[in-house]
Amino acid sequence: MVDAALIQQCADPALKPAIVETFIERAGSQDPLTVAVRSGNRVVLVPRPTTPDEAMELIRQHVGRNIVRVGITQYPAGVDVAEAGELKPDLVDACANLRIGTALFAKVHRIVTKWYGNPTDKEVLPQVFDDAIIAWQTGYFDGTAVFQAPDPTEVKLAQPTPPSEGESAEQRGDKTAAGDSDPGRETATPDPNKAGIRIDLSGIGGREK
């Protein structure tokens, strides 16, 4: 689990610490040097870096050609970067990655919240959060490339109680693996062939900038 003090110090203040913790557990990594590479829907096996320099070299090798996710928040390394030389070591610094990753996720969360009409119903908010997680993982929501989309800063996040709050990490993992008991709900690992029409997954594997 990511240290609570690190979350308090580094995470975007738009998100409550409990939300940040759940976001990292569901979509991030406990290791700031984690580099995940995908080509379309295929996972590209890469050596596990043991130093920041190794991690940055690995990122530079793949960014622009493949989807590269980095660090604690699994930040999309190609966002707002025209070429590999522009990448900064901040990507693999725990605090910096947490800062930029949670700021970007907060934007994604606002985009999804706005689509839902800024709901406040406690029964709806967990679904909004689930869809924000899916949008973070795929880069798309309702046909919109969320990382490049304008930030609806006027939207105030309602800060729902995370669906898994109060459960252990093991219990959360079991629930994710088994799927939601409600067949109408989408999970954080969507099936591109079965996802609801409001979330466009056709862009999975598209180039992130």
Side-chain angles (χ1 to χ4, degrees), residues 114-168:
K114 183 177 180 179
W115 186 94
Y116 271 90
N118 302 325
T120 57
D121 189 331
K122 291 183 178 181
E123 294 183 358
V124 176
L125 295 178
Q127 180 64 41
V128 176
F129 183 77
D130 286 347
D131 283 353
I133 290 288
I134 295 171
W136 175 265
Q137 293 174 323
T138 65
Y140 287 85
F141 179 78
D142 192 39
T144 298
V146 290
F147 299 141
Q148 289 79 27
D151 187 348
T153 53
E154 74 282 3
V155 174
K156 302 301 180 183
L157 298 178
Q159 303 293 2
T161 299
S164 51
E165 190 172 271
E167 298 175 350
S168 68

Side-chain angles (χ1 to χ4, degrees), residues 170-192:
E170 182 178 353
Q171 287 173 321
R172 284 189 285 269
D174 290 344
K175 180 178 291 187
T176 300
D180 197 299
S181 60
D182 180 353
R185 292 279 299 278
E186 292 161 353
T187 65
T189 307
D191 182 338

